[in-house]
Amino acid sequence: MTARQARRVAVKYGASLIALNIAAAVQVIFVVALLARSETATVGSILTDPAFSAFRWIVPLGITVGALAGIVLILPTLRWFAREDIPTVEQSKRATRIPLHHTASHLALWLAFGFSMAALTHDAEHDVTVLIVIGTVFGAVTTAGTGYLLTERSLRPVTVLASTGTPARRELSVLARLILTWLVCTAIPVAAITLIVIVHSTGKPIAIPAPIELPILIVSAIALGTGLRGTILVARSVSEPVREVSQGMTEIEKGRTDVAVPVYDSSEIGSLQRGFNSMSRGLTERERLRDLFGRHVGTQVASRALEQSDFPRDDVQYAAVLFIDLVGSTAFAVDHPPERVAEVLNEFLAIVVDTVDDNLGFINKFEGDAALAVFGAPQPIDNPAAAALKAARRLRLALGSLDTRTTPGHSAGSAPATPGHSAGSAPATPGHSAGSAPMDFGIGVAAGDVFAGDIGALQRYEYTVIGEPVNCAARLSDLAKLAPGRVLVSSRLVDDAGADEARHWQSTGPVELRGYQTPVEVSAVSDA
């Protein structure tokens, strides 16, 4: 594809410059012939005069030499472009400087061939030679200036690839391009018209006896056409990259951060393009870090930390706390390699995370084979108690359906005893018959006022919840490992949840919890 694109670039580059030089040469010669008219010499006789007719081979020769110079100038660049090579620093600089090198070479060629033609007309009238010199200077400047803008646009695909190397130094700025366009399209034509009028009026330094209206009209038409073309080229050189950056900004506003615009300019526009790409890469990296940050500490805590940079941040609020712990993971770790233990824990914790997220909860921390989930902090929800109870019921069913071969503390095909029972009378846990060996666990849930905030030092801290409900949930999870339904919750939590959720629970009476001076009323799932 790039080889074909290289051919298209070469054709566009060569065709546009050859057409530009032919048109400019014809215009200069025709205007000179019009100005050199006299009572005894017409345009036709001047153009066919042996002394003046050298233009018939000077112009083709000059255009041919110019084309060859263009090939020599661009060929090394097109070679690595066609191969899709990453350019070196020197190749990048050479590619971005082609428009300037083109301008300098075409100025030199125009002046060389124009002055050569003037020298060949020494047998003609002196006035004709002077007109050729003046016309050559005006044609050289106009052609070289317009050629710069055409070359820059034709080589845009090459410049895009060249920008992947070390950026070259800044070349022609936007202001310089505007000044160049004004010079080529306005200043030079107006100066030419002014000079024609002055010379015709004074007869110095040459005499122009012929009417000047037609030459002035031709120069004015040339100025209008060149001005329109130059203005469009400069306007597009600014508007197109700005539009691409604007479209990229729109994509970023929609949530896409992996947006990049092509860099094909070495001026302020190129700095804008590179700056946008740098910003886009920074946003992509920022989103990646934010995603990683959210995965490590939870999206709710990550958003809170990014929005509030002060430390500490804390609050006392009502929340429900769910604590879940596996049974037999220590023995499983002894009998299995570490990667197998990690695989089983990941399967277990994936279910916990999905279930908690579905019920608007927040996983505060993982503690080996246990997890602490919070409902109502740091993001408030309507009914933390009901959400926590619903999550506990769903966890009980989801974990009870896991394959026995992934269960810590069990071997495939056997049914070990659960806590408090002998091997021969292991009761069925949720979702299984007595002949299977599901994952064993304990879930405890409690609610109340907790401290929800940052704990640690300014250099290193973490978000956590502290309070009686946290301790109560942990103690209840220990007792739940021996309970038939593997879930025990505080009866106060059931009362706070409302009638719709409370109908799924039944009181099992008070229990003694380690560290508590008075018994705690406990409830279990009614269909356990």
Side-chain angles (χ1 to χ4, degrees), residues 441-455:
F441 56 89
I443 300 176
V445 191
D449 291 335
V450 296
F451 170 91
D454 299 318
I455 294 295

Side-chain angles (χ1 to χ4, degrees), residues 21-314:
N21 282 279
I22 291 175
V26 170
Q27 291 165 0
V28 169
I29 291 171
F30 192 62
V31 170
V32 169
L34 285 173
L35 293 174
R37 290 176 298 169
S38 65
E39 293 181 358
T40 60
T42 63
V43 172
S45 64
I46 293 172
L47 294 177
T48 57
D49 186 285
F52 189 77
S53 61
F55 77 89
R56 296 176 181 174
W57 61 270
I58 283 283
V59 171
L61 179 62
I63 292 174
T64 302
V65 173
L68 292 175
I71 293 174
V72 172
L73 192 64
I74 196 176
L75 189 58
T77 297
L78 287 181
R79 283 173 178 166
W80 62 255
F81 176 72
R83 294 193 303 265
E84 299 186 69
D85 294 344
I86 300 298
T88 64
V89 175
E90 193 59 37
Q91 287 173 333
S92 295
K93 290 180 179 179
R94 182 185 180 93
T96 55
R97 291 175 183 173
I98 287 178
L100 285 179
H101 292 164
H102 159 87
T103 302
S105 65
H106 279 69
L107 265 176
L109 288 172
W110 258 82
L111 294 176
F113 281 95
F115 291 157
S116 298
M117 183 173 174
L120 293 173
T121 61
H122 65 280
D123 293 334
E125 296 183 12
H126 171 71
D127 293 348
V128 173
T129 303
V130 174
L131 287 173
I132 290 175
V133 171
I134 296 174
T136 296
V137 173
F138 280 105
V141 175
T142 302
T143 305
T146 307
Y148 176 90
L149 300 175
L150 286 172
T151 302
E152 190 177 49
R153 180 163 185 82
S154 299
L155 299 182
R156 179 171 294 179
V158 177
T159 312
V160 171
L161 190 57
S163 67
T164 59
T166 303
R169 67 180 179 86
R170 179 176 293 181
E171 300 293 350
L172 209 57
S173 66
V174 174
L175 178 61
R177 292 178 201 173
L178 292 173
I179 294 175
L180 174 65
T181 305
W182 172 84
L183 180 68
V184 171
C185 304
T186 303
I188 290 179
V190 170
I193 293 172
T194 304
L195 184 61
I196 291 172
V197 173
I198 293 174
V199 171
H200 181 266
S201 301
T202 63
K204 297 178 181 179
I206 59 174
I208 302 180
I212 62 173
E213 289 82 359
L214 184 57
I216 288 178
L217 287 176
I218 292 175
V219 174
S220 299
I222 294 172
L224 289 174
T226 306
L228 177 62
R229 179 174 53 191
T231 301
I232 290 175
L233 287 173
V234 173
R236 292 177 70 176
S237 72
V238 176
S239 65
E240 289 179 354
V242 170
R243 182 171 62 250
E244 290 169 353
V245 171
S246 177
Q247 292 172 346
M249 293 293 295
T250 301
E251 292 298 317
I252 288 178
E253 289 177 355
K254 293 179 180 179
R256 283 190 57 196
T257 57
D258 57 336
V259 181
V261 297
V263 180
Y264 46 77
D265 199 292
S266 58
S267 68
E268 304 94 324
I269 298 297
S271 298
L272 174 66
Q273 294 168 325
R274 284 187 290 271
F276 175 83
N277 290 340
S278 177
M279 179 196 71
S280 179
R281 287 192 298 270
L283 289 174
T284 301
E285 182 65 16
R286 179 176 179 271
E287 288 302 313
R288 189 181 74 86
L289 292 176
R290 182 170 184 157
D291 179 64
L292 290 175
F293 185 32
R295 291 173 186 269
H296 280 277
V297 302
T299 55
Q300 298 178 21
V301 171
S303 298
R304 174 176 173 271
L306 292 172
E307 293 168 2
Q308 306 174 22
S309 59
D310 55 313
F311 170 82
R313 300 176 295 271
D314 57 70

